[in-house]
């Protein structure tokens, strides 16, 4: 419209009232007082009884800007109330998206609640299973496309939803690695809603701004989970690994991204050596191979497989034995007593930090009253500041320890079930390796150390058991 106004095709604009024309009092004022008079355009607001051709200059200069301010204030107030209500819903665990995530559908009786869509949820489970097996996101996408599985966008449209996106380039879209990764990284499939990730600076500015993660609205157990939480955490771990696809191109190698040098901490890489018609595959230290900064040590893949399998079997049995003993021993009171003890220590350290802060504040008064001189003031100020900082640092360490203890309390023994369901393994596969092993260390004396997942929880539960029953007889952890 403004293009036609500037071209001289329109010389009169009529609106219901000033708020229909705009709620930005500065912008509206610029149009009414400068642009329209300059272009010779007549402006009429019917309900506000305003006509620029027959306006009362003195009264309009006061009334019209005031009305524009009220219109803008109404818009600002509405924006604040809307944002506040949406935040309340997010913190309550209500789903406020326009469309349900692939794998779910909205409850017909409550549009803020998600229900499992069995067909799409089956696809999501397959995606996670294939990733745990070591298949890349690109290969998973190709497999889904070859199987004729509709993409999330096409599936929504097939359900009669009026879903559209600016990313669509073809009439029928195909799966790609980006779609697969968005599914693999979305915690909604564990029953957790993460909302409020982006916002706008104000109701005037529509530019999206990503909020710090601490300000997101994260609520657990909002709906039925499609993926087990432990499997989801394992997939996140796999996505963070530096992996390589095998020669066949179908899946990554068994220990890809998990083998490290026990001497320098760097990655161990696979090296294939041909001898006649035979091929031998070794793990060698990358630092020695590339920069000669570590020891020349290696280990054949077949030997590593056997060592890791036996170590994992032993640790699985250790975990099962520990679980059985814990069921016979009441450690709950011991755990809670440990948390209470840490809380008491934290309160004492915080009180100590407050005491040093109080002494710091009283120093200046002592200086003014002549109790201490300037040199004593400087010395005491440094001493009190140092001791306050030390107390605050110690309080922070206790707070972290207490958080870990409370996390262990909430975690419980669910992780033990991950080992128990693999208690009869006879061979290794990628899913077992990434689910139970955190890393494998190879030393120059050909010693192998297998660090299993949840090793901190294992040690913590062992300590609790020892405190409750005395020393635990039997095996040591790997």
């Amino acid at each position: 419209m403004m293009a036609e106004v500037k071209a001289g095709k329109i010389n009169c604009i009529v609106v219901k009232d000033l708020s229909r024309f705009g709620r930005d009092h500065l912008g509206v004022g610029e149009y009414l007082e400068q642009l329209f008079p300059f272009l010779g355009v007549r402006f009429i607001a019917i309900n506000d009884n305003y006509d620029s051709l027959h306006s009362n200059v003195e009264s309009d200069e006061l009334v019209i800007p005031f009305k524009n301010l009220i219109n803008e204030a109404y818009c600002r107030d509405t924006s604040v109330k809307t944002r506040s209500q949406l935040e309340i819903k997010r913190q309550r665990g209500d789903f406020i998206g326009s469309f349900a995530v692939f794998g779910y559908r909205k409850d017909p009786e409550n549009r803020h609640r998600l229900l499992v869509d069995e067909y799409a949820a089956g696809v999501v489970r397959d995606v996670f299973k294939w990733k745990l097996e070591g298949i890349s996101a690109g290969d998973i996408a190709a497999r889904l496309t070859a199987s004729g599985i509709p993409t999330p966008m096409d599936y929504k449209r097939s359900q009669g939803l009026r879903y559209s996106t600016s990313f669509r380039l073809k009439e029928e879209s195909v799966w790609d690695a980006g779609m697969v990764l968005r599914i693999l990284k979305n915690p909604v499939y564990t029953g957790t809603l993460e909302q409020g990730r982006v916002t706008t600076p104000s109701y005037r500015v529509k530019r999206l701004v990503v909020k710090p993660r601490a300000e997101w609205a994260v609520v657990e157990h909002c709906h039925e989970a499609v993926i087990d939480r432990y499997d989801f955490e394992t997939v996140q771990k796999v996505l963070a690994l530096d992996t390589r696809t095998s020669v066949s191109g179908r899946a990554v190698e068994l220990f890809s991204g998990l083998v490290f040098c026990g001497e320098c901490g760097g990655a161990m890489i696979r090296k294939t050596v041909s001898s006649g018609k035979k091929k031998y595959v070794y793990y060698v230290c990358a630092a020695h191979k590339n920069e000669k900064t570590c020891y020349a040590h290696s280990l054949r893949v077949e030997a590593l497989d056997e060592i890791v399998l036996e170590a994992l079997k032993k640790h699985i049995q250790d975990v099962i034995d520990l679980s059985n003993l814990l069921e016979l021993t009441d450690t709950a009171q011991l755990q809670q007593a440990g948390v209470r003890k840490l809380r008491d220590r934290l309160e004492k350290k915080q009180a100590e930090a407050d005491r040093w802060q109080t002494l710091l504040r009283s120093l200046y008064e002592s200086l003014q009253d002549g109790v201490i001189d300037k040199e004593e003031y400087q010395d005491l100020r440094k001493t009190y500041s140092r001791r306050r900082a030390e107390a605050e640092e110690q309080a922070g360490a206790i707070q972290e320890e207490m958080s870990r203890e409370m996390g262990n309390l909430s975690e419980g023994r669910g992780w033990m079930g991950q080992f128990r369901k693999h208690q009869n393994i006879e061979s290794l596969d990628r899913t077992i390796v990434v689910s139970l092993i955190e890393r494998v260390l190879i030393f120059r004396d050909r010693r192998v150390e297998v660090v299993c997942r949840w090793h901190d929880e294992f040690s913590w539960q062992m300590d609790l058991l020892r405190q409750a029953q005395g020393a635990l007889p039997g095996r040591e952890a790997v």
Side-chain angles (χ1 to χ4, degrees), residues 3 14 21 55 61 68 132 214-215 220 222-223 243 271 274 300 367 384 394 403 444 473:
V14 182
F21 181 66
S55 63
E61 283 183 352
N68 287 334
L132 287 174
E215 297 180 10
E220 298 180 348
C222 294
H223 49 267
T243 58
K271 181 180 180 181
S274 299
R300 287 186 59 180
L367 177 63
Y384 292 167
Q394 292 169 358
S403 299
R444 58 174 170 165

Side-chain angles (χ1 to χ4, degrees), residues 108 111 158 183 279 362 366 378 443:
R111 61 191 179 93
S158 70
I183 290 176
K279 290 185 177 180
S362 64
S366 300
Q378 295 292 344
F443 296 85

Side-chain angles (χ1 to χ4, degrees), residues 92-119:
R92 194 168 56 200
D94 291 346
F95 179 76
I96 61 173
S98 302
F99 299 93
V101 181
F102 184 71
Y104 291 93
R105 59 185 176 86
K106 287 189 175 183
D107 188 344
E109 299 180 359
N110 181 3
R111 61 191 179 93
H112 297 302
R113 184 168 177 266
L114 295 178
L115 300 177
V116 175
D117 183 330
E118 289 302 332
Y119 173 79

Side-chain angles (χ1 to χ4, degrees), residues 224-244:
E224 182 182 350
V226 171
I227 301 299
D228 181 77
R229 179 168 60 89
Y230 293 106
D231 289 341
F232 180 82
E233 292 174 353
T234 301
V235 167
Q236 306 316 300
K237 168 195 165 189
V238 170
L239 291 174
L241 293 176
D242 180 17
T243 58
R244 298 290 185 270

Side-chain angles (χ1 to χ4, degrees), residues 279-465:
K279 290 185 177 180
Y280 301 94
V281 182
Y282 297 85
Y283 272 101
V284 299
C285 178
H288 173 77
K289 183 176 183 294
N290 299 328
E291 304 170 3
K292 308 299 181 184
T293 57
C294 190
Y295 299 97
H297 60 290
S298 62
L299 188 67
R300 287 186 59 180
V301 169
E302 293 81 5
L304 182 63
D305 289 354
E306 294 178 5
I307 294 172
V308 172
L309 177 59
E310 291 305 315
L312 191 56
K313 283 182 177 180
K314 182 177 180 298
H315 187 72
I316 289 174
Q317 190 59 51
D318 288 340
V319 172
I320 293 173
D321 292 344
L322 175 62
S323 177
N324 294 336
L325 286 170
L326 287 172
E327 289 178 0
L328 301 175
T329 307
D330 184 14
T331 60
Q333 293 182 354
L334 201 60
Q335 292 172 324
Q336 294 171 0
V339 173
R340 286 196 297 270
K341 183 178 179 181
L342 287 172
R343 186 178 291 112
D344 292 340
R345 286 176 55 196
L346 177 62
E347 291 176 354
K348 290 180 180 178
K349 280 298 174 185
Q350 289 175 338
E352 182 181 341
D354 292 340
R355 184 170 69 254
W356 291 120
Q357 179 64 28
T358 302
L359 289 172
L360 270 172
R361 292 194 185 115
S362 64
L363 276 179
Y364 184 75
E365 296 178 0
S366 300
L367 177 63
Q368 292 295 103
D369 294 340
V371 177
I372 58 176
D373 57 28
K374 190 173 182 180
E375 185 177 350
E376 290 174 326
Y377 170 78
Q378 295 292 344
D379 291 340
L380 289 173
R381 186 171 178 273
K382 289 180 181 179
T383 301
Y384 292 167
S385 297
R386 176 174 54 80
R387 292 186 177 178
R388 182 194 62 182
E390 290 174 353
E392 290 176 346
E393 183 179 353
Q394 292 169 358
I398 296 172
Q399 180 69 56
E400 291 179 3
E401 185 178 356
M402 191 168 69
S403 299
R404 285 195 300 270
E405 293 283 347
M406 296 181 70
N408 288 331
L409 282 174
S410 61
E411 178 74 17
R413 303 170 192 167
W415 58 273
M416 293 182 176
Q418 303 302 305
F419 289 94
R420 188 180 288 276
K421 69 181 182 182
H422 295 294
Q423 60 182 320
N424 297 319
I425 60 170
E426 296 298 331
S427 62
L428 296 174
D429 59 38
R430 181 66 178 177
T431 302
I432 292 176
V433 169
V434 298
S435 297
L436 302 182
I437 297 176
E438 184 170 309
R439 62 185 180 275
V440 178
L441 301 175
I442 301 177
F443 296 85
R444 58 174 170 165
D445 57 0
R446 301 178 66 83
R447 179 168 51 90
V448 176
E449 179 182 346
V450 180
V451 181
C452 293
R453 294 184 66 189
W454 301 290
H455 56 277
D456 289 338
E457 287 83 354
F458 179 81
S459 300
W460 183 72
Q461 295 282 5
M462 288 282 288
D463 290 340
L464 276 177
L465 188 63

